Amino acid sequence: MLTRPGVVGGGTMGHGIAAAFALAGCDVALYEPAEAQRERVRPAIEAAYALLAEEEVITSIDATSALARIRLTDNPAAAVHDRDFVVEAIPERMDLKQKLFAELDRLCPPETIFASNTSSLPLAEMMAGLPGRRRARMMVTHWYNPPLLMPIVELSFFGNMAEALYAEAAALHEAAGKQVVKVLKDVPGLVANRIQQGVAREVFSLIEQGVATPEDIDKALKFGPAFRYATTGQLEVADFGGLDVWCTVGDNLLAVMDDRRDANPLLRRRVAEGKLGVKSGEGFYRWDADTVPERQRAFMKRLIHQLKASRAYA
């Protein structure tokens, strides 16, 4: 059984992954080399735990105990020398990941499982420079943001790893309260991000065509398909509705829907104009810097409510 995870990178994903493992009772080592980011880690985790306690998902005692199980360090060797599982959450650059895994191979015990929190970079290339014994203990473990609240984790099973070893990694993530998706083929985006991009492509196209306002398009998604998807998957929805009906609707609609193979021009223009969303104050909506923290907190609370409700359908 894996009980000593290490996390490399203390940014949004890294510290959230560490917080999730610690809340599950694991002894967690978190390596973050940048002092400024390291100083933000504990306050961010404390705030996330406090919100969970406020919503009665955990107790304040749970939060205090979990925080005590996270060892934060700027020393990579100290962070990983005794870990049985190490996941990296560093920037999405192949050269950085290859260099990191080579260093981890030198610092970690031979039995340590290595994982990358990526959905866009191929595992085979990330581990190409490592010996065969290590490649047999490497995988992708793709968490969704925010990792403490989103219940999905996609785990790779691409043929390099034994079934028993995969089962150990899956058990670690299930113990952290995650719904594990076993991904059998290394395709860009894995499963969840490909589905998400399919929805996003049509949403951006509807905006581009002026079919409805951003508010109404989001409303159509939240209270239409997404309302069902919170508890029921697409294939189950299709079976409920009848595959003959879905086939007919597909014939009628797919030919007139967006089929472009790159980002929507409207999206590209907004990026060129510096309209990046919350980070710049405007995207499809306007964002007042003074109200953003409270709006983000409200978003987190909605996710917590969904998380509590979703446990009935796991």
Side-chain angles (χ1 to χ4, degrees), residues 278-282 286-296:
V278 172
K279 65 176 71 175
S280 67
E282 183 179 356
R286 292 187 181 277
W287 299 88
D288 182 343
D290 292 336
T291 63
V292 163
E294 185 53 40
R295 292 173 72 175
Q296 289 178 324

Side-chain angles (χ1 to χ4, degrees), residues 4-15:
R4 302 187 311 281
V7 181
V8 177
T12 299
M13 296 305 297
H15 80 251

Side-chain angles (χ1 to χ4, degrees), residues 27 261 288:
D27 163 38
R261 299 173 68 86
D288 182 343

